[in-house]
């Protein structure tokens, strides 16, 4: 809050509480942080990094599934293998 507003509030006889000002400032900062985070996520470079990270995480999780390690061609194996490769099972 700027000084001019505080002076106007004081001249109008309003009670100025530091807690209210701090709360309003925190709320504005949270909105700014969310806006900055959303703009970062929309950046193409960041999206590619997030996708790469997600793929590596999924590949690591899929590599540890016993059914995929054994390789027996069951319907469950085919479904999980398709999901791990990003295919949609029909």
């Amino acid at each position: 809050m700027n000084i001019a507003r505080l002076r106007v509030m004081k001249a109008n006889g309003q009670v100025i509480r530091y807690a209210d000002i701090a709360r309003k400032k925190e709320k504005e900062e949270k909105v700014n942080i969310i806006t900055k985070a959303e703009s970062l996520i929309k950046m193409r470079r960041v999206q590619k990094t997030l996708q790469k990270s997600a793929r590596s995480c999924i590949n690591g999780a899929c590599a540890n599934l016993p059914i995929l390690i054994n390789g027996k061609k069951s319907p469950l194996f085919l479904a999980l293998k398709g999901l791990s490769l990003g295919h949609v099972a029909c």
Side-chain angles (χ1 to χ4, degrees):
M1 193 172 275
N2 59 22
I3 300 297
R5 280 192 185 163
L6 291 173
R7 287 182 180 156
V8 169
M9 289 173 66
K10 185 177 180 183
N12 290 337
Q14 292 178 336
V15 177
I16 302 171
R17 294 187 190 116
Y18 176 75
D20 295 338
I21 296 169
R23 200 173 311 128
K24 184 175 180 181
K25 188 174 181 179
E26 285 178 12
K27 185 177 179 181
E28 290 173 356
E29 288 175 357
K30 286 180 184 178
V31 170
N32 287 339
I33 289 171
I34 291 171
T35 306
K36 287 178 184 177
E38 288 174 349
S39 65
L40 275 177
I41 291 172
K42 290 179 183 177
M43 290 176 60
R44 189 166 186 83
R45 184 179 64 211
V46 174
Q47 284 180 347
K48 286 184 178 184
T49 304
L50 289 173
Q51 288 173 349
K52 185 177 179 182
S53 175
R55 277 192 210 111
S56 68
C57 190
I58 289 170
N59 289 339
C62 290
N64 295 330
L65 292 174
I67 193 162
L68 293 178
I69 294 170
N70 295 337
K72 185 177 177 186
K73 303 280 182 176
S74 68
L76 179 60
F77 170 83
L78 294 174
L80 290 175
K81 188 71 171 178
L83 288 173
S84 69
L85 297 175
H87 300 128
V88 178
C90 295

